[in-house]
Amino acid sequence: DGGITQSPKYLFRKEGQNVTLSCEQNLNHDAMYWYRQDPGQGLRLIYYSQIVNDFQKGDIAEGYSVSREKKESFPLTVTSAQKNPTAFYLCASSNLGSGGPLAKNIQYFGAGTRLSVL
Amino acid sequence: QKEVEQNSGPLSVPEGAIASLNCTYSDRVSQSFFWYRQYSGKSPELIMSIYSNGDKEDGRFTAQLNKASQYVSLLIRDSQPSDSATYLCAVNTGFQKLVFGTGTRLLVSP
């Protein structure tokens, strides 16, 4: 089964706690992304990675951290510094291919993790 | 000005009608454009991509792109109640990042 697997589906965070969301893909995609979606809102980019051991901040990186030690894995840690973490978190991946920064970049999404604060 | 703008809706159409969803973008450098469908509580799924000016058809869906006007649209013919969802417009503005609009909620009534 090819695709993007996010776990857990639901996650609860206690105040002051760090939590880690898992994202694994077996599509052999180069790039991986983390988005946050709040109710009635679009997707906002948290972090992205185009190659192993390298990643860049997106528009709302504060309070989050990531790692990319393997091509297929891109975990996201929501730290205690993120004061409003309740949201739907989506992981995506894409095959960069050729064509430079304006290449097609078709992104495919996992099923998401819904994070709430206890 | 937001980079990608969509009317939040809801857009209500009767079953069998054509639904027309619109999106404007601000960055003239953009070359790749996508429409995603998102059912309530689910993740987005890609339904159309378009890269050149003009129309691109796939089944009941037609994407239209006008780069001069910085406008991309999605037409859904013979709308079905199962098409009721939020439709997200996404634009590749460079550096392998997509910018998403806030989405248009479509309601198709039987």
Side-chain angles (χ1 to χ4, degrees), chain A residues 33 35 37 42-43 45 48 50 88 90 96 100-107 109-111 114, chain B residues 29 31-32 34 36 38 41-44 46 51 88 92-98 100-102:
Chain A
Y33 308 81
Y35 294 92
Q37 187 176 36
L43 278 63
L45 183 64
Y48 65 106
Q50 298 179 356
F88 189 36
L90 290 157
L96 297 179
L102 292 174
K104 294 172 182 177
N105 189 18
I106 299 175
Q107 293 187 17
F109 287 85
R114 211 164 282 281
Chain B
V29 181
Q31 296 291 328
S32 310
F34 307 92
Y36 287 83
Q38 186 175 25
K42 303 295 185 182
S43 62
L46 180 71
Y51 312 110
L88 301 171
N92 184 1
T93 60
F95 305 103
Q96 298 295 348
K97 294 194 296 181
L98 294 186
F100 286 82
T102 55

mmCIF file of all heavy atoms in Angstrom, chain A residues 33 35 37 42-43 45 48 50 88 90 96 100-107 109-111 114, chain B residues 29 31-32 34 36 38 41-44 46 51 88 92-98 100-102:
data_model
loop_
_atom_site.group_PDB
_atom_site.id
_atom_site.type_symbol
_atom_site.label_atom_id
_atom_site.label_comp_id
_atom_site.label_asym_id
_atom_site.label_seq_id
_atom_site.Cartn_x
_atom_site.Cartn_y
_atom_site.Cartn_z
ATOM 1 N N TYR A 33 6.302 17.955 3.881
ATOM 2 C CA TYR A 33 5.771 19.213 4.389
ATOM 3 C C TYR A 33 4.873 18.959 5.600
ATOM 4 O O TYR A 33 4.205 17.937 5.671
ATOM 5 C CB TYR A 33 4.920 19.905 3.313
ATOM 6 C CG TYR A 33 5.608 20.067 1.983
ATOM 7 C CD1 TYR A 33 5.663 19.017 1.071
ATOM 8 C CD2 TYR A 33 6.189 21.272 1.622
ATOM 9 C CE1 TYR A 33 6.293 19.154 -0.152
ATOM 10 C CE2 TYR A 33 6.821 21.426 0.401
ATOM 11 C CZ TYR A 33 6.869 20.358 -0.480
ATOM 12 O OH TYR A 33 7.493 20.509 -1.689
ATOM 13 N N TYR A 35 1.708 21.020 7.562
ATOM 14 C CA TYR A 35 0.764 22.131 7.561
ATOM 15 C C TYR A 35 -0.083 22.066 8.823
ATOM 16 O O TYR A 35 -0.337 20.999 9.375
ATOM 17 C CB TYR A 35 -0.176 22.047 6.351
ATOM 18 C CG TYR A 35 0.481 22.237 5.023
ATOM 19 C CD1 TYR A 35 0.954 21.141 4.297
ATOM 20 C CD2 TYR A 35 0.613 23.497 4.452
ATOM 21 C CE1 TYR A 35 1.545 21.298 3.057
ATOM 22 C CE2 TYR A 35 1.199 23.665 3.208
ATOM 23 C CZ TYR A 35 1.663 22.561 2.526
ATOM 24 O OH TYR A 35 2.242 22.735 1.304
ATOM 25 N N GLN A 37 -4.022 23.343 10.040
ATOM 26 C CA GLN A 37 -5.301 23.859 9.575
ATOM 27 C C GLN A 37 -6.180 24.109 10.788
ATOM 28 O O GLN A 37 -6.451 23.199 11.565
ATOM 29 C CB GLN A 37 -5.982 22.890 8.609
ATOM 30 C CG GLN A 37 -7.238 23.460 7.974
ATOM 31 C CD GLN A 37 -7.848 22.541 6.945
ATOM 32 O OE1 GLN A 37 -7.830 21.324 7.103
ATOM 33 N NE2 GLN A 37 -8.386 23.101 5.874
ATOM 34 N N GLY A 42 -7.573 27.972 5.724
ATOM 35 C CA GLY A 42 -6.763 27.217 4.780
ATOM 36 C C GLY A 42 -5.593 26.561 5.484
ATOM 37 O O GLY A 42 -5.509 26.533 6.716
ATOM 38 N N LEU A 43 -4.668 26.033 4.698
ATOM 39 C CA LEU A 43 -3.498 25.354 5.244
ATOM 40 C C LEU A 43 -2.346 26.348 5.386
ATOM 41 O O LEU A 43 -2.064 27.111 4.460
ATOM 42 C CB LEU A 43 -3.072 24.225 4.302
ATOM 43 C CG LEU A 43 -3.818 22.894 4.420
ATOM 44 C CD1 LEU A 43 -5.291 23.045 4.092
ATOM 45 C CD2 LEU A 43 -3.181 21.858 3.519
ATOM 46 N N LEU A 45 1.774 26.641 6.261
ATOM 47 C CA LEU A 45 2.986 25.828 6.234
ATOM 48 C C LEU A 45 3.816 26.037 7.494
ATOM 49 O O LEU A 45 4.141 27.175 7.838
ATOM 50 C CB LEU A 45 3.811 26.185 4.987
ATOM 51 C CG LEU A 45 5.080 25.392 4.742
ATOM 52 C CD1 LEU A 45 4.758 23.928 4.488
ATOM 53 C CD2 LEU A 45 5.844 25.994 3.564
ATOM 54 N N TYR A 48 9.170 22.530 6.011
ATOM 55 C CA TYR A 48 9.285 21.647 4.872
ATOM 56 C C TYR A 48 10.731 21.210 4.695
ATOM 57 O O TYR A 48 11.657 21.865 5.177
ATOM 58 C CB TYR A 48 8.729 22.277 3.601
ATOM 59 C CG TYR A 48 9.460 23.498 3.091
ATOM 60 C CD1 TYR A 48 10.283 23.429 1.972
ATOM 61 C CD2 TYR A 48 9.287 24.742 3.704
ATOM 62 C CE1 TYR A 48 10.930 24.548 1.493
ATOM 63 C CE2 TYR A 48 9.931 25.861 3.229
ATOM 64 C CZ TYR A 48 10.746 25.768 2.120
ATOM 65 O OH TYR A 48 11.376 26.887 1.649
ATOM 66 N N GLN A 50 13.342 19.335 1.677
ATOM 67 C CA GLN A 50 13.503 18.879 0.299
ATOM 68 C C GLN A 50 14.529 17.772 0.179
ATOM 69 O O GLN A 50 14.630 17.127 -0.869
ATOM 70 C CB GLN A 50 13.905 20.057 -0.589
ATOM 71 C CG GLN A 50 12.836 21.144 -0.624
ATOM 72 C CD GLN A 50 13.248 22.324 -1.481
ATOM 73 O OE1 GLN A 50 14.346 22.380 -1.996
ATOM 74 N NE2 GLN A 50 12.348 23.273 -1.632
ATOM 75 N N PHE A 88 -5.721 20.814 13.290
ATOM 76 C CA PHE A 88 -5.615 19.618 12.448
ATOM 77 C C PHE A 88 -4.268 19.722 11.737
ATOM 78 O O PHE A 88 -4.015 20.692 11.024
ATOM 79 C CB PHE A 88 -6.783 19.618 11.465
ATOM 80 C CG PHE A 88 -6.948 18.367 10.658
ATOM 81 C CD1 PHE A 88 -6.680 17.116 11.187
ATOM 82 C CD2 PHE A 88 -7.402 18.428 9.353
ATOM 83 C CE1 PHE A 88 -6.859 15.960 10.447
ATOM 84 C CE2 PHE A 88 -7.590 17.277 8.596
ATOM 85 C CZ PHE A 88 -7.312 16.054 9.140
ATOM 86 N N LEU A 90 -1.484 18.333 9.092
ATOM 87 C CA LEU A 90 -1.425 17.569 7.854
ATOM 88 C C LEU A 90 0.005 17.479 7.354
ATOM 89 O O LEU A 90 0.725 18.476 7.301
ATOM 90 C CB LEU A 90 -2.291 18.234 6.788
ATOM 91 C CG LEU A 90 -3.796 18.142 7.049
ATOM 92 C CD1 LEU A 90 -4.542 19.240 6.313
ATOM 93 C CD2 LEU A 90 -4.320 16.777 6.617
ATOM 94 N N LEU A 96 10.029 16.193 -6.310
ATOM 95 C CA LEU A 96 10.464 17.465 -6.870
ATOM 96 C C LEU A 96 10.749 17.365 -8.359
ATOM 97 O O LEU A 96 10.395 18.238 -9.127
ATOM 98 C CB LEU A 96 11.697 17.974 -6.126
ATOM 99 C CG LEU A 96 11.477 18.290 -4.643
ATOM 100 C CD1 LEU A 96 12.772 18.752 -4.008
ATOM 101 C CD2 LEU A 96 10.390 19.335 -4.480
ATOM 102 N N GLY A 100 13.278 23.009 -11.533
ATOM 103 C CA GLY A 100 13.608 24.107 -10.646
ATOM 104 C C GLY A 100 12.510 24.423 -9.655
ATOM 105 O O GLY A 100 11.578 23.641 -9.468
ATOM 106 N N PRO A 101 12.577 25.576 -9.020
ATOM 107 C CA PRO A 101 11.650 25.920 -7.929
ATOM 108 C C PRO A 101 10.215 26.079 -8.370
ATOM 109 O O PRO A 101 9.304 26.033 -7.557
ATOM 110 C CB PRO A 101 12.212 27.243 -7.398
ATOM 111 C CG PRO A 101 13.084 27.778 -8.459
ATOM 112 C CD PRO A 101 13.613 26.599 -9.216
ATOM 113 N N LEU A 102 9.973 26.255 -9.662
ATOM 114 C CA LEU A 102 8.597 26.400 -10.113
ATOM 115 C C LEU A 102 8.085 25.128 -10.763
ATOM 116 O O LEU A 102 7.117 25.153 -11.503
ATOM 117 C CB LEU A 102 8.487 27.583 -11.083
ATOM 118 C CG LEU A 102 8.716 28.942 -10.421
ATOM 119 C CD1 LEU A 102 8.743 30.041 -11.475
ATOM 120 C CD2 LEU A 102 7.646 29.245 -9.398
ATOM 121 N N ALA A 103 8.730 24.032 -10.482
ATOM 122 C CA ALA A 103 8.276 22.744 -10.996
ATOM 123 C C ALA A 103 6.922 22.404 -10.404
ATOM 124 O O ALA A 103 6.426 23.051 -9.508
ATOM 125 C CB ALA A 103 9.297 21.666 -10.663
ATOM 126 N N LYS A 104 6.342 21.362 -10.938
ATOM 127 C CA LYS A 104 4.946 21.106 -10.669
ATOM 128 C C LYS A 104 4.619 20.914 -9.202
ATOM 129 O O LYS A 104 3.587 21.380 -8.737
ATOM 130 C CB LYS A 104 4.492 19.928 -11.515
ATOM 131 C CG LYS A 104 4.524 20.278 -12.992
ATOM 132 C CD LYS A 104 4.266 19.106 -13.892
ATOM 133 C CE LYS A 104 4.365 19.572 -15.346
ATOM 134 N NZ LYS A 104 4.192 18.452 -16.290
ATOM 135 N N ASN A 105 5.464 20.229 -8.452
ATOM 136 C CA ASN A 105 5.283 20.109 -7.003
ATOM 137 C C ASN A 105 3.877 19.676 -6.632
ATOM 138 O O ASN A 105 3.170 20.347 -5.879
ATOM 139 C CB ASN A 105 5.613 21.444 -6.319
ATOM 140 C CG ASN A 105 5.650 21.312 -4.806
ATOM 141 O OD1 ASN A 105 5.758 20.223 -4.269
ATOM 142 N ND2 ASN A 105 5.575 22.428 -4.102
ATOM 143 N N ILE A 106 3.454 18.533 -7.161
ATOM 144 C CA ILE A 106 2.150 18.001 -6.785
ATOM 145 C C ILE A 106 2.290 17.385 -5.412
ATOM 146 O O ILE A 106 3.071 16.463 -5.203
ATOM 147 C CB ILE A 106 1.686 16.949 -7.798
ATOM 148 C CG1 ILE A 106 1.545 17.584 -9.188
ATOM 149 C CG2 ILE A 106 0.367 16.333 -7.357
ATOM 150 C CD1 ILE A 106 1.213 16.587 -10.284
ATOM 151 N N GLN A 107 1.525 17.885 -4.450
ATOM 152 C CA GLN A 107 1.618 17.405 -3.085
ATOM 153 C C GLN A 107 0.443 16.485 -2.766
ATOM 154 O O GLN A 107 -0.701 16.783 -3.102
ATOM 155 C CB GLN A 107 1.639 18.578 -2.109
ATOM 156 C CG GLN A 107 2.897 19.417 -2.240
ATOM 157 C CD GLN A 107 3.016 20.490 -1.178
ATOM 158 O OE1 GLN A 107 2.329 20.434 -0.150
ATOM 159 N NE2 GLN A 107 3.889 21.452 -1.398
ATOM 160 N N PHE A 109 -1.397 14.235 0.463
ATOM 161 C CA PHE A 109 -1.550 14.389 1.905
ATOM 162 C C PHE A 109 -1.813 13.073 2.623
ATOM 163 O O PHE A 109 -2.441 12.163 2.073
ATOM 164 C CB PHE A 109 -2.711 15.351 2.209
ATOM 165 C CG PHE A 109 -2.394 16.775 1.908
ATOM 166 C CD1 PHE A 109 -2.554 17.288 0.633
ATOM 167 C CD2 PHE A 109 -1.911 17.621 2.902
ATOM 168 C CE1 PHE A 109 -2.242 18.609 0.350
ATOM 169 C CE2 PHE A 109 -1.607 18.938 2.630
ATOM 170 C CZ PHE A 109 -1.767 19.432 1.351
ATOM 171 N N GLY A 110 -1.349 13.014 3.884
ATOM 172 C CA GLY A 110 -1.759 11.960 4.777
ATOM 173 C C GLY A 110 -3.137 12.268 5.334
ATOM 174 O O GLY A 110 -3.745 13.292 5.009
ATOM 175 N N ALA A 111 -3.619 11.375 6.207
ATOM 176 C CA ALA A 111 -4.987 11.503 6.734
ATOM 177 C C ALA A 111 -5.096 12.541 7.844
ATOM 178 O O ALA A 111 -6.206 12.939 8.208
ATOM 179 C CB ALA A 111 -5.478 10.153 7.244
ATOM 180 N N ARG A 114 -5.313 15.066 14.588
ATOM 181 C CA ARG A 114 -6.068 16.119 15.266
ATOM 182 C C ARG A 114 -5.514 16.247 16.684
ATOM 183 O O ARG A 114 -5.599 15.304 17.470
ATOM 184 C CB ARG A 114 -7.552 15.755 15.287
ATOM 185 C CG ARG A 114 -8.471 16.943 15.253
ATOM 186 C CD ARG A 114 -9.888 16.539 14.891
ATOM 187 N NE ARG A 114 -10.084 16.293 13.481
ATOM 188 C CZ ARG A 114 -10.249 17.235 12.567
ATOM 189 N NH1 ARG A 114 -10.219 18.498 12.897
ATOM 190 N NH2 ARG A 114 -10.462 16.906 11.303
ATOM 191 N N VAL B 29 4.715 35.180 -10.958
ATOM 192 C CA VAL B 29 5.719 34.163 -11.282
ATOM 193 C C VAL B 29 5.129 32.755 -11.222
ATOM 194 O O VAL B 29 5.675 31.810 -11.769
ATOM 195 C CB VAL B 29 6.926 34.288 -10.323
ATOM 196 C CG1 VAL B 29 7.995 33.268 -10.641
ATOM 197 C CG2 VAL B 29 7.493 35.693 -10.383
ATOM 198 N N GLN B 31 3.498 29.243 -11.616
ATOM 199 C CA GLN B 31 3.415 28.432 -12.829
ATOM 200 C C GLN B 31 2.536 27.200 -12.675
ATOM 201 O O GLN B 31 2.116 26.607 -13.655
ATOM 202 C CB GLN B 31 4.822 27.970 -13.241
ATOM 203 C CG GLN B 31 5.752 29.097 -13.634
ATOM 204 C CD GLN B 31 5.346 29.751 -14.937
ATOM 205 O OE1 GLN B 31 4.800 29.087 -15.810
ATOM 206 N NE2 GLN B 31 5.593 31.044 -15.062
ATOM 207 N N SER B 32 2.305 26.771 -11.441
ATOM 208 C CA SER B 32 1.564 25.529 -11.211
ATOM 209 C C SER B 32 0.382 25.821 -10.297
ATOM 210 O O SER B 32 0.534 26.513 -9.286
ATOM 211 C CB SER B 32 2.459 24.481 -10.543
ATOM 212 O OG SER B 32 3.674 24.340 -11.229
ATOM 213 N N PHE B 34 -3.372 24.147 -8.508
ATOM 214 C CA PHE B 34 -3.990 22.899 -8.104
ATOM 215 C C PHE B 34 -5.326 23.165 -7.442
ATOM 216 O O PHE B 34 -5.521 24.178 -6.770
ATOM 217 C CB PHE B 34 -3.077 22.160 -7.105
ATOM 218 C CG PHE B 34 -1.672 21.967 -7.616
ATOM 219 C CD1 PHE B 34 -0.688 22.896 -7.329
ATOM 220 C CD2 PHE B 34 -1.344 20.868 -8.378
ATOM 221 C CE1 PHE B 34 0.604 22.742 -7.802
ATOM 222 C CE2 PHE B 34 -0.055 20.702 -8.864
ATOM 223 C CZ PHE B 34 0.913 21.642 -8.570
ATOM 224 N N TYR B 36 -7.806 21.131 -4.749
ATOM 225 C CA TYR B 36 -7.965 20.024 -3.826
ATOM 226 C C TYR B 36 -9.404 20.039 -3.303
ATOM 227 O O TYR B 36 -9.989 21.101 -3.077
ATOM 228 C CB TYR B 36 -7.011 20.150 -2.633
ATOM 229 C CG TYR B 36 -5.561 19.872 -2.941
ATOM 230 C CD1 TYR B 36 -4.735 20.860 -3.475
ATOM 231 C CD2 TYR B 36 -5.007 18.625 -2.683
ATOM 232 C CE1 TYR B 36 -3.398 20.610 -3.740
ATOM 233 C CE2 TYR B 36 -3.663 18.360 -2.946
ATOM 234 C CZ TYR B 36 -2.873 19.356 -3.469
ATOM 235 O OH TYR B 36 -1.542 19.104 -3.724
ATOM 236 N N GLN B 38 -11.721 18.818 -0.062
ATOM 237 C CA GLN B 38 -11.580 18.403 1.328
ATOM 238 C C GLN B 38 -12.972 18.202 1.929
ATOM 239 O O GLN B 38 -13.725 19.157 2.111
ATOM 240 C CB GLN B 38 -10.793 19.434 2.140
ATOM 241 C CG GLN B 38 -10.495 18.989 3.563
ATOM 242 C CD GLN B 38 -9.623 19.952 4.334
ATOM 243 O OE1 GLN B 38 -9.583 21.141 4.051
ATOM 244 N NE2 GLN B 38 -8.904 19.436 5.334
ATOM 245 N N GLY B 41 -13.642 17.097 8.072
ATOM 246 C CA GLY B 41 -12.901 16.207 8.953
ATOM 247 C C GLY B 41 -11.852 15.347 8.276
ATOM 248 O O GLY B 41 -11.185 14.547 8.934
ATOM 249 N N LYS B 42 -11.708 15.502 6.963
ATOM 250 C CA LYS B 42 -10.750 14.677 6.212
ATOM 251 C C LYS B 42 -9.612 15.531 5.668
ATOM 252 O O LYS B 42 -9.638 16.759 5.753
ATOM 253 C CB LYS B 42 -11.463 13.960 5.057
ATOM 254 C CG LYS B 42 -12.627 13.096 5.494
ATOM 255 C CD LYS B 42 -12.164 11.940 6.344
ATOM 256 C CE LYS B 42 -13.325 10.995 6.671
ATOM 257 N NZ LYS B 42 -12.893 9.877 7.551
ATOM 258 N N SER B 43 -8.625 14.873 5.085
ATOM 259 C CA SER B 43 -7.499 15.595 4.517
ATOM 260 C C SER B 43 -7.792 15.956 3.052
ATOM 261 O O SER B 43 -8.660 15.346 2.416
ATOM 262 C CB SER B 43 -6.225 14.760 4.610
ATOM 263 O OG SER B 43 -6.352 13.566 3.867
ATOM 264 N N PRO B 44 -7.081 16.936 2.509
ATOM 265 C CA PRO B 44 -7.316 17.332 1.109
ATOM 266 C C PRO B 44 -6.880 16.242 0.141
ATOM 267 O O PRO B 44 -5.888 15.553 0.368
ATOM 268 C CB PRO B 44 -6.434 18.581 0.946
ATOM 269 C CG PRO B 44 -6.170 19.057 2.336
ATOM 270 C CD PRO B 44 -6.140 17.832 3.181
ATOM 271 N N LEU B 46 -6.154 15.712 -4.095
ATOM 272 C CA LEU B 46 -5.953 16.423 -5.349
ATOM 273 C C LEU B 46 -6.997 15.982 -6.378
ATOM 274 O O LEU B 46 -7.202 14.797 -6.588
ATOM 275 C CB LEU B 46 -4.554 16.135 -5.888
ATOM 276 C CG LEU B 46 -4.190 16.797 -7.204
ATOM 277 C CD1 LEU B 46 -3.993 18.296 -7.005
ATOM 278 C CD2 LEU B 46 -2.944 16.164 -7.797
ATOM 279 N N TYR B 51 -1.254 23.846 -15.649
ATOM 280 C CA TYR B 51 0.010 24.558 -15.755
ATOM 281 C C TYR B 51 0.032 25.555 -16.904
ATOM 282 O O TYR B 51 0.870 26.455 -16.938
ATOM 283 C CB TYR B 51 1.160 23.567 -15.940
ATOM 284 C CG TYR B 51 1.100 22.423 -14.961
ATOM 285 C CD1 TYR B 51 0.791 21.128 -15.393
ATOM 286 C CD2 TYR B 51 1.329 22.617 -13.608
ATOM 287 C CE1 TYR B 51 0.711 20.080 -14.494
ATOM 288 C CE2 TYR B 51 1.263 21.566 -12.705
ATOM 289 C CZ TYR B 51 0.952 20.309 -13.155
ATOM 290 O OH TYR B 51 0.879 19.280 -12.266
ATOM 291 N N LEU B 88 -10.162 23.685 -2.151
ATOM 292 C CA LEU B 88 -8.994 24.515 -1.877
ATOM 293 C C LEU B 88 -8.208 24.748 -3.160
ATOM 294 O O LEU B 88 -7.885 23.806 -3.879
ATOM 295 C CB LEU B 88 -8.075 23.828 -0.864
ATOM 296 C CG LEU B 88 -8.665 23.490 0.499
ATOM 297 C CD1 LEU B 88 -7.707 22.624 1.299
ATOM 298 C CD2 LEU B 88 -8.980 24.758 1.267
ATOM 299 N N ASN B 92 1.733 27.180 -6.708
ATOM 300 C CA ASN B 92 3.169 27.041 -6.479
ATOM 301 C C ASN B 92 3.821 28.377 -6.801
ATOM 302 O O ASN B 92 3.922 28.768 -7.964
ATOM 303 C CB ASN B 92 3.746 25.946 -7.373
ATOM 304 C CG ASN B 92 5.223 25.694 -7.104
ATOM 305 O OD1 ASN B 92 5.825 26.332 -6.237
ATOM 306 N ND2 ASN B 92 5.813 24.782 -7.842
ATOM 307 N N THR B 93 4.228 29.081 -5.754
ATOM 308 C CA THR B 93 4.801 30.410 -5.943
ATOM 309 C C THR B 93 6.320 30.381 -6.026
ATOM 310 O O THR B 93 6.950 31.420 -6.043
ATOM 311 C CB THR B 93 4.376 31.337 -4.796
ATOM 312 O OG1 THR B 93 4.840 30.779 -3.562
ATOM 313 C CG2 THR B 93 2.873 31.483 -4.741
ATOM 314 N N GLY B 94 6.897 29.209 -6.072
ATOM 315 C CA GLY B 94 8.342 29.090 -6.167
ATOM 316 C C GLY B 94 8.925 28.445 -4.928
ATOM 317 O O GLY B 94 8.270 28.329 -3.910
ATOM 318 N N PHE B 95 10.171 28.015 -5.018
ATOM 319 C CA PHE B 95 10.873 27.391 -3.901
ATOM 320 C C PHE B 95 10.138 26.153 -3.402
ATOM 321 O O PHE B 95 10.201 25.825 -2.217
ATOM 322 C CB PHE B 95 11.093 28.394 -2.762
ATOM 323 C CG PHE B 95 11.793 29.632 -3.226
ATOM 324 C CD1 PHE B 95 11.089 30.798 -3.434
ATOM 325 C CD2 PHE B 95 13.151 29.618 -3.499
ATOM 326 C CE1 PHE B 95 11.737 31.946 -3.892
ATOM 327 C CE2 PHE B 95 13.802 30.756 -3.949
ATOM 328 C CZ PHE B 95 13.087 31.917 -4.143
ATOM 329 N N GLN B 96 9.411 25.494 -4.325
ATOM 330 C CA GLN B 96 8.732 24.245 -4.018
ATOM 331 C C GLN B 96 7.752 24.357 -2.859
ATOM 332 O O GLN B 96 7.576 23.424 -2.086
ATOM 333 C CB GLN B 96 9.774 23.145 -3.734
ATOM 334 C CG GLN B 96 10.651 22.853 -4.920
ATOM 335 C CD GLN B 96 9.886 22.279 -6.088
ATOM 336 O OE1 GLN B 96 8.735 21.886 -5.972
ATOM 337 N NE2 GLN B 96 10.505 22.235 -7.261
ATOM 338 N N LYS B 97 7.127 25.496 -2.722
ATOM 339 C CA LYS B 97 6.109 25.670 -1.700
ATOM 340 C C LYS B 97 4.781 25.984 -2.366
ATOM 341 O O LYS B 97 4.724 26.700 -3.367
ATOM 342 C CB LYS B 97 6.468 26.819 -0.763
ATOM 343 C CG LYS B 97 7.712 26.579 0.076
ATOM 344 C CD LYS B 97 7.814 27.577 1.218
ATOM 345 C CE LYS B 97 7.988 28.986 0.721
ATOM 346 N NZ LYS B 97 8.120 29.941 1.849
ATOM 347 N N LEU B 98 3.718 25.420 -1.781
ATOM 348 C CA LEU B 98 2.378 25.769 -2.228
ATOM 349 C C LEU B 98 1.763 26.762 -1.258
ATOM 350 O O LEU B 98 1.944 26.650 -0.049
ATOM 351 C CB LEU B 98 1.485 24.528 -2.298
ATOM 352 C CG LEU B 98 1.812 23.461 -3.321
ATOM 353 C CD1 LEU B 98 0.723 22.393 -3.319
ATOM 354 C CD2 LEU B 98 1.989 24.046 -4.703
ATOM 355 N N PHE B 100 -1.959 28.063 -0.152
ATOM 356 C CA PHE B 100 -3.354 27.643 -0.247
ATOM 357 C C PHE B 100 -4.288 28.810 0.030
ATOM 358 O O PHE B 100 -4.025 29.656 0.902
ATOM 359 C CB PHE B 100 -3.651 26.533 0.766
ATOM 360 C CG PHE B 100 -3.073 25.204 0.398
ATOM 361 C CD1 PHE B 100 -1.741 24.913 0.663
ATOM 362 C CD2 PHE B 100 -3.853 24.240 -0.217
ATOM 363 C CE1 PHE B 100 -1.190 23.685 0.324
ATOM 364 C CE2 PHE B 100 -3.318 23.010 -0.569
ATOM 365 C CZ PHE B 100 -1.992 22.742 -0.301
ATOM 366 N N GLY B 101 -5.401 28.838 -0.689
ATOM 367 C CA GLY B 101 -6.487 29.715 -0.329
ATOM 368 C C GLY B 101 -7.238 29.122 0.852
ATOM 369 O O GLY B 101 -6.985 27.988 1.274
ATOM 370 N N THR B 102 -8.186 29.883 1.370
ATOM 371 C CA THR B 102 -8.936 29.424 2.542
ATOM 372 C C THR B 102 -10.060 28.466 2.175
ATOM 373 O O THR B 102 -10.672 27.875 3.052
ATOM 374 C CB THR B 102 -9.506 30.604 3.332
ATOM 375 O OG1 THR B 102 -10.277 31.414 2.446
ATOM 376 C CG2 THR B 102 -8.391 31.450 3.929
#
